[in-house]
Amino acid sequence: MTNVQGESQRTGAKADFDAVIIGAGFSGMYMLHSLRDKLDLNVTVIEAGDGVGGTWYWNRYPGARCDSDSYIYCYTFDKNLLQEWNWSERYPEQDEILRYLEHCAERFDLKPDIQFGKRVVEVVFDDDTELWTVRTDKGDAVTARFVIPAVGALSTANVPPIKGLHSFVGKCYHTSQWPHDGVDFTAKRVGIIGTGATAVQAIPEIAQQAKHLTVFQRTPNFCVPARNGRVNPEVTRARKADYDGIRQRIKDSFFGFELNFIPKAVLETTPEEREQEFDKMWDAGGFAFWLANYQDMFFSKEANDVIAEYLKHKIRSIVNDPATAEKLTPKTYPYGTKRQPLDTNYFETFNKKNVALVDASTDGPIEEVTPNGIRAGGKEYPLDIIVIATGFDAMTGPLKNLGIKGRGGRALVQEWEDGPQTYLGLAIAGYPNLFTITGPQSPSVLSNMPVSIEQHVEWITECIAHMRRNKLKTIEASSQAQDTWGTHVTEVVNSTLMPGTNSWYMGANIEGKPRRFLPYLGPEGVGGYRRKCAEVAENGYEGFVFTSQGQSGTVHRIAAE
């Protein structure tokens, strides 16, 4: 019996589990392994899907693949796993990543502690027992000392309230809820709504099969080439030999990649010099153009314009029809302030005769879905299949859907009406023993996700170990620390060009969602954030409040500020 369970019994309340983890993707799987195998806690994972994988279980749309390099889009906590697993491509497809996660689940014997096919609908804290009760859509309930949502930042689908959507007589699919047996587009007239990172992957694939594809675009995207392909075996061997160095570099980096900004201003360079750098990044492919460009790109509109013009020229040089090229060229926001899509033949696809682009600003926005297609700008486009690629209610949506209620019945949905409030993106004032992996106001989606996931899981694990060593009963963020962190997150991003763009980073893709920058763009990125979290722990978990249980049964509050 663990120490935590012993504490539960002394207060007259018995926990079913020491910890309940919600979600069995990258973060939930590692959290289970860490708490169960390192701390010997009694842990269960509740997962809505019928298998592990999280985003890679649900997102099976055509062209779905990772856009972080495979050698760093993986667990790095186990050296043997790093040596054993071999990725086939620079950016592996969905099915290969799912096979990897299935392999990890088997390797670490995780499935016996995962409850599949259950969706959490309510998470309620009891002030008397200081336990959480977690209920699912199957009608069952468990209690736990700790609750750890590992629900991902991009898991709640955004289906826009388009008039007439349910009247469509053909087939309609959201990219994040794709049929596991696929969709046959042969001889079909297909319409796809959206041109974000998901659509950029799907459009070239669908166009190869469909009789005709109509792309409905609200906002054009700056895209850069992925340059996917097989990885040279020599490169793979060199990386395996240097994984200690790789792991340290990505942990200390700004975005969790082996990429760094050019340490000079683009405006200080000659046109020839920067053209050479841009060509090098364009030819290399991947996130280099976004995350390893000149250091003033995110801060100076003048500098950003120089970089954006290069990409606009590329679009116009690839797309044959000048009118279509102009529709595909972004003009209303600075480069890099939206999620960077990586493409394989995306712009080239619009040169195909069976592909048409309907742009909201020039051709007219979508007015309604009719039984036979989509009406936009007064014109009806007949369709057999509609693909909705409109993304997610990012970062806050998955947490708000859990029905979380903290001390005194305070509902997270109500407390976050004006935007998320957290401390370090890890904890929330008034919600004891609840930790959010890669939650709002942490680097999360602005980083290579496995790097940030591992940092959060390891921090949470050590925090719970600290509580056990010191016989501490609960931990939660203090309101003051939470307010200070929120102010810091806002001040940092307000020094950049990011807030001026209607991006899902700002919550602008969801009607009625407050405009608040959702992740954390720290001054030193992932590495600086990691050091900040370590300092908080080293300073006795500064900014947190604990309760401890005395032998007399008296509960003591301890402020670690």
Side-chain angles (χ1 to χ4, degrees), residues 488-505:
H488 170 64
V489 170
T490 300
E491 287 176 347
V492 170
V493 77
N494 281 348
S495 68
T496 74
L497 300 172
M498 301 289 278
T501 295
N502 289 325
S503 67
W504 60 256
Y505 293 142

Side-chain angles (χ1 to χ4, degrees), residues 193-373:
I193 302 172
T195 52
T198 293
V200 166
Q201 290 183 331
I203 285 167
E205 296 294 323
I206 296 173
Q208 291 184 48
Q209 190 181 28
K211 176 183 178 181
H212 191 272
L213 175 64
T214 305
V215 178
F216 294 88
Q217 170 183 274
R218 184 173 64 176
T219 308
N221 241 311
F222 287 103
C223 300
V224 297
R227 308 292 185 207
N228 188 40
R230 295 279 173 175
V231 181
N232 186 313
E234 288 297 321
V235 172
T236 298
R237 279 191 285 273
R239 285 170 174 166
K240 285 179 180 284
D242 185 35
Y243 255 125
D244 285 345
I246 290 170
R247 188 168 190 262
Q248 194 59 50
R249 288 193 292 275
I250 61 178
K251 285 167 64 174
D252 292 338
S253 70
F254 202 100
F255 293 108
F257 295 81
E258 288 196 284
L259 297 170
N260 296 291
F261 289 116
I262 299 170
K264 66 190 302 185
V266 67
L267 298 175
E268 295 174 355
T269 64
T270 65
E272 294 77 19
E273 180 184 349
R274 58 194 181 227
E275 188 83 7
Q276 187 176 17
E277 289 287 353
F278 294 157
D279 286 344
K280 189 192 309 180
M281 290 182 280
W282 178 268
D283 293 341
F287 284 141
F289 210 95
W290 190 31
L291 306 180
N293 217 307
Y294 289 93
Q295 64 181 12
D296 54 346
M297 182 182 80
F298 287 110
F299 302 95
S300 163
K301 181 63 166 59
E302 188 180 0
N304 191 283
D305 287 344
V306 171
I307 296 167
E309 280 304 315
Y310 176 91
L311 293 176
K312 292 176 182 180
H313 173 74
K314 285 291 187 183
I315 297 169
R316 291 163 180 147
S317 68
I318 294 170
V319 181
N320 295 335
D321 176 52
T324 302
E326 286 308 305
K327 293 178 184 179
L328 290 167
T329 302
K331 302 178 181 69
T332 59
Y333 61 92
Y335 169 64
T337 56
K338 282 179 174 281
R339 170 66 157 78
Q340 172 69 75
L342 301 187
D343 85 87
T344 299
N345 298 321
Y346 174 68
F347 293 119
E348 291 85 346
T349 297
F350 291 94
N351 293 329
K352 291 177 174 286
K353 293 181 179 179
N354 70 323
V355 177
L357 177 65
V358 178
D359 177 63
S361 62
T362 57
D363 302 309
I366 293 175
E367 297 159 358
E368 65 176 331
V369 174
T370 69
N372 298 312

Side-chain angles (χ1 to χ4, degrees), residues 344-543:
T344 299
N345 298 321
Y346 174 68
F347 293 119
E348 291 85 346
T349 297
F350 291 94
N351 293 329
K352 291 177 174 286
K353 293 181 179 179
N354 70 323
V355 177
L357 177 65
V358 178
D359 177 63
S361 62
T362 57
D363 302 309
I366 293 175
E367 297 159 358
E368 65 176 331
V369 174
T370 69
N372 298 312
I374 293 177
R375 185 184 304 280
K379 178 180 178 181
E380 184 168 2
Y381 297 85
L383 302 168
D384 303 303
I385 298 174
I386 294 175
V387 176
I388 301 175
T390 49
F392 303 89
D393 184 352
M395 303 198 75
T396 54
L399 292 168
K400 290 167 77 172
N401 278 351
L402 297 177
I404 299 173
K405 294 180 181 178
R407 287 196 188 278
R410 55 204 296 178
L412 188 70
V413 169
Q414 294 174 346
E415 296 214 6
W416 282 10
E417 278 183 340
D418 296 325
Q421 302 171 69
T422 77
Y423 180 39
L424 302 171
L426 272 165
I428 309 164
Y431 297 80
N433 292 351
L434 182 122
F435 297 105
T436 54
I437 302 178
T438 61
Q441 300 181 328
S442 76
S444 188
V445 293
L446 287 178
S447 68
N448 175 28
M449 287 299 289
V451 176
S452 289
I453 286 168
E454 287 191 335
Q455 183 260 326
H456 268 193
V457 167
E458 289 157 12
W459 191 95
I460 292 166
T461 301
E462 177 50 38
C463 180
I464 293 175
H466 169 85
M467 293 177 68
R468 295 178 70 191
R469 288 191 299 267
N470 293 279
K471 296 182 172 53
L472 299 170
K473 192 176 182 188
T474 68
I475 180 175
E476 63 188 278
S478 74
S479 296
Q480 180 183 350
Q482 181 170 274
D483 291 344
T484 300
W485 182 251
T487 299
H488 170 64
V489 170
T490 300
E491 287 176 347
V492 170
V493 77
N494 281 348
S495 68
T496 74
L497 300 172
M498 301 289 278
T501 295
N502 289 325
S503 67
W504 60 256
Y505 293 142
M506 295 295 300
N509 64 320
I510 304 296
E511 188 175 339
K513 190 169 182 175
R515 286 289 298 267
R516 184 80 66 88
F517 191 69
L518 298 172
Y520 174 54
L521 185 65
E524 298 176 18
V526 167
Y529 172 82
R530 179 186 293 271
R531 289 187 289 275
K532 170 64 177 175
C533 291
E535 289 169 6
V536 165
E538 289 164 5
N539 292 334
Y541 293 90
E542 181 180 20

